Amino acid sequence: MPQAPQRATLSLSLTPQAPLVAGKTVSVVARLATLKGGKPVSFDDLREAHTKKLHLLIIDPMLSDYHHIHPAPGGKPGEYVFAFTPGKDGGYRIWADVVPRATGKQEYVQADLGEPEQKPVVVDRSVRMSAAVDGYQFTLTLDRPPSAGQAVMGSVTVSKDGQPFTGLEPVMGAFAHIVAFPEDLQSVLHVHPMGMEPTSVAQRGGPTLDFHLEPAKPGFVKLFAQVRSDGKDVFAPFGVVVK
Ligand SMILES: [Cu+2]
């Protein structure tokens, strides 16, 4: 069972170099620092997790435009830069998924990018247990109706042209990454399939990826499964309601 993330010990600030406009790429400077004392946090202060030291999990308030980005170090200690092309106008919420050397524990550091939405946000709360993306069909199954504070076993099955797909390529040291966003955007969950993780780029996975999920609160949760095939990342969206 994945360990519950640690309370944040770091702060994250984000400075887009231009206003966010849907479809337009903007350069963003991110700064990581310790909450106590504001000391810059550089890559040397972070441990690698899933082949990267800093994963940014990015979502819009309508839970429809998810990005997973790995910034490069910037010019100053604790500074990082990345290019971001929003699919939507308005603001985004970002979590830095990191393991500080100081604690050795995974934590999610939250910050907002761009202007928060002025008008009330309408989230599509429909339950979606299947998705068709880029010619792949994805099916999500859960071993029980999800309820708050209880672990649920999930599996995502991938097929192509009606056949089970077994050509999933390793992506960030796993055959898939599942990220869950509760609709209140106060937390995030990043989990990986159970079982053997790929040890070489030549290995292939699928069709079924099993994982654990322990939603903390009741309400609507948007899930994204990220897999890689033919060198291209594919993101499959699902929607579940936690009791
Ligand atoms: Cu990542």
Side-chain angles (χ1 to χ4, degrees):
M1 171 80 78
Q3 269 215 316
Q6 135 111 24
R7 276 181 82 81
T9 64
L10 306 183
S11 70
L12 174 69
S13 70
L14 300 160
T15 316
Q17 304 304 291
L20 298 194
V21 177
K24 216 157 163 253
T25 301
V26 61
S27 174
V28 181
V29 175
R31 290 180 185 83
L32 268 180
T34 56
L35 271 176
K36 274 198 199 123
K39 190 175 147 291
V41 173
S42 296
F43 268 157
D44 293 345
D45 307 312
L46 300 172
R47 273 204 200 147
E48 196 171 282
H50 279 89
T51 74
K52 300 287 179 187
K53 289 192 169 192
L54 176 54
H55 304 260
L56 294 184
L57 312 174
I58 308 175
I59 190 84
D60 68 307
M62 291 198 290
L63 307 179
S64 59
D65 185 33
Y66 166 58
H67 301 250
H68 185 142
I69 291 176
H70 305 112
K76 295 189 198 114
E79 230 176 56
Y80 303 87
V81 287
F82 62 99
F84 178 56
T85 312
K88 306 265 175 194
D89 284 324
Y92 280 71
R93 181 148 286 180
I94 294 190
W95 282 271
D97 180 354
V98 289
V99 181
R101 278 190 193 286
T103 63
K105 290 198 179 121
Q106 179 192 24
E107 62 180 81
Y108 300 113
V109 191
Q110 182 184 315
D112 287 330
L113 179 63
E115 296 310 311
E117 203 57 54
Q118 298 310 318
K119 50 188 191 318
V121 171
V122 181
V123 173
D124 171 4
R125 288 191 188 83
S126 23
V127 170
R128 285 178 204 282
M129 302 300 275
S130 65
V133 186
D134 296 346
Y136 299 91
Q137 290 76 40
F138 298 82
T139 307
L140 170 68
T141 51
L142 302 172
D143 70 341
R144 69 181 70 198
S147 51
Q150 286 201 359
V152 60
M153 276 289 295
S155 64
V156 170
T157 303
V158 189
S159 63
K160 192 170 189 202
D161 308 323
Q163 298 302 315
F165 187 70
T166 55
L168 296 177
E169 295 158 16
V171 50
M172 294 177 273
F175 284 119
H177 292 258
I178 290 110
V179 173
F181 298 102
E183 69 177 310
D184 67 3
L185 286 185
Q186 293 307 316
S187 60
V188 62
L189 273 178
H190 181 185
V191 297
H192 306 95
M194 293 155 28
M196 289 296 289
E197 291 201 327
T199 50
S200 95
V201 289
Q203 269 181 287
R204 295 292 176 266
T208 299
L209 306 151
D210 299 320
F211 60 96
H212 268 113
L213 203 62
E214 192 163 333
K217 282 184 271 194
F220 178 76
V221 174
K222 190 73 179 265
L223 292 157
F224 292 88
Q226 176 181 1
V227 298
R228 182 169 290 171
S229 175
D230 287 337
K232 195 168 167 289
D233 287 6
V234 181
F235 294 88
F238 303 101
V240 300
V241 172
V242 178
K243 291 271 176 298

